[in-house]
């Protein structure tokens, strides 16, 4: 009798990357999907304007009415307001055989876990607040915004520790990316075991 799991594509694994501003989530998320051909990064919508030098495809940039229309059409898996701007994850449609990576805030992560309790939450941390503030300044945030992101970040870290399955410190980008890749790989079902019996 055919095994039903063979005829149906497996459910994708879901990974949720959270962490305070300045942890480097965006950079790490991009590097993860560049390095892992089976990981698909969900592209969020936002009402915030693009930052100078930000990749034009970092988000789908829309105005508030367009965002609210998408909410009304049930187009988001989750959405949240963060420091006065709306951010939302469109209902994901990954290519077949791909696992999904969400890079979102704590509120959004909660909503995803409510819907998908088997999602894996990874908390990315900056090495310290000084480095965190420096990274925020480096991408053009105003001093006022840096201060509010650092302050908000303290709460995000405290809440993040409560919901995270894994914590990774981003003091060295290469190491942090490898650490997350190991977490992802470790959760995937082993492939080809039958063809690779252990050596005698
Ligand atoms: P930023 O403006 O710095 O790009 O993002 C602000 C915060 O919003 C970050 O914590 C980022 O992870 C989060 N964020 C980005 N996309 C989404 C999303 O689709 N949903 C939610 N809930 N948060 C998001």
């Amino acid at each position: 009798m055919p095994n039903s799991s063979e005829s149906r594509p497996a459910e994708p694994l879901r990974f949720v990357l959270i962490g305070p501003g300045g942890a480097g989530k965006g950079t790490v998320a991009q590097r993860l999907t560049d390095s892992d051909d089976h990981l698909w990064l969900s592209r969020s919508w936002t009402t915030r304007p693009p930052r100078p030098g930000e990749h034009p495809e970092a988000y789908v940039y829309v105005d508030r009415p367009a965002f609210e229309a998408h909410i009304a059409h049930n187009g988001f898996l989750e959405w949240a307001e963060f420091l006065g701007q709306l951010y939302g994850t469109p209902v994901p449609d990954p290519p077949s055989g791909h696992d999904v990576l969400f890079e979102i805030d704590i509120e959004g992560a909660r909503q995803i876990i409510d819907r998908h309790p088997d999602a894996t939450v990874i908390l990315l941390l900056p090495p310290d607040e000084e480095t965190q503030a420096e990274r925020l300044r480096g991408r053009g945030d105003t001093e006022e915004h840096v201060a509010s992101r650092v302050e908000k970040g303290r709460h995000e870290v405290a809440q993040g520790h409560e919901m995270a399955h894994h914590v990774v410190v981003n003091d060295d980008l290469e190491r942090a990316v490898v650490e997350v890749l190991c977490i992802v790989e470790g959760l995937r079902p082993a492939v080809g075991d039958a063809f690779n019996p252990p050596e005698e």
Side-chain angles (χ1 to χ4, degrees):
M1 206 167 74
N3 178 344
S4 63
S5 68
E6 281 171 14
S7 49
R8 241 184 308 136
E11 267 278 291
L13 296 176
R14 296 177 184 86
F15 297 93
V16 186
L17 191 61
I18 56 170
K25 292 191 301 268
T27 310
V28 167
Q30 195 54 58
R31 290 289 294 270
L32 290 169
T33 46
D34 288 348
S35 324
D36 186 327
D37 290 343
H38 296 283
L39 198 56
W40 180 83
L41 179 61
S42 160
R43 188 164 164 235
S44 298
W45 287 32
T46 184
T47 59
R48 98 153 153 68
R51 293 193 185 101
E54 188 167 50
H55 194 284
E57 294 193 350
Y59 287 99
V60 176
Y61 300 95
V62 294
D63 58 17
R64 213 167 242 269
F67 196 103
E68 285 168 352
H70 208 61
I71 296 174
H73 288 101
N74 295 322
F76 289 117
L77 179 63
E78 65 74 34
W79 65 272
E81 183 144 8
F82 186 95
L83 295 178
Q85 301 287 354
L86 300 175
Y87 294 82
T89 305
V91 176
D93 185 19
S96 162
H98 284 63
D99 296 320
V100 181
L101 176 66
F102 301 101
E103 185 252 289
I104 54 177
D105 78 338
I106 298 276
E107 180 52 39
R110 273 213 185 90
Q111 295 180 50
I112 292 199
I113 290 165
D114 281 349
R115 285 204 184 196
H116 301 290
D118 57 343
T120 300
V121 181
I122 302 165
L123 172 64
L124 191 71
L125 295 177
D128 51 66
E129 280 189 5
E130 215 171 294
T131 313
Q132 178 191 12
E134 217 30 67
R135 287 180 185 165
L136 292 167
R137 273 184 209 111
R139 66 188 196 191
D141 286 4
T142 62
E143 269 316 305
E144 195 190 347
H145 199 73
V146 169
S148 57
R149 292 293 307 256
V150 171
E151 174 57 27
K152 189 170 168 59
R154 291 191 190 121
H155 301 286
E156 292 176 305
V157 171
Q159 293 171 316
H161 274 293
E162 283 171 21
M163 58 199 302
H165 301 98
H166 301 273
V167 179
V168 173
V169 178
N170 182 16
D171 47 358
D172 177 273
L173 179 62
E174 300 304 325
R175 213 213 66 253
V177 169
V178 169
E179 232 179 279
V180 181
L181 284 173
C182 288
I183 295 167
V184 169
E185 204 48 55
L187 286 163
R188 286 182 172 146
V191 175
D193 280 352
F195 304 101
N196 294 300
E199 283 177 28
E200 298 269 313

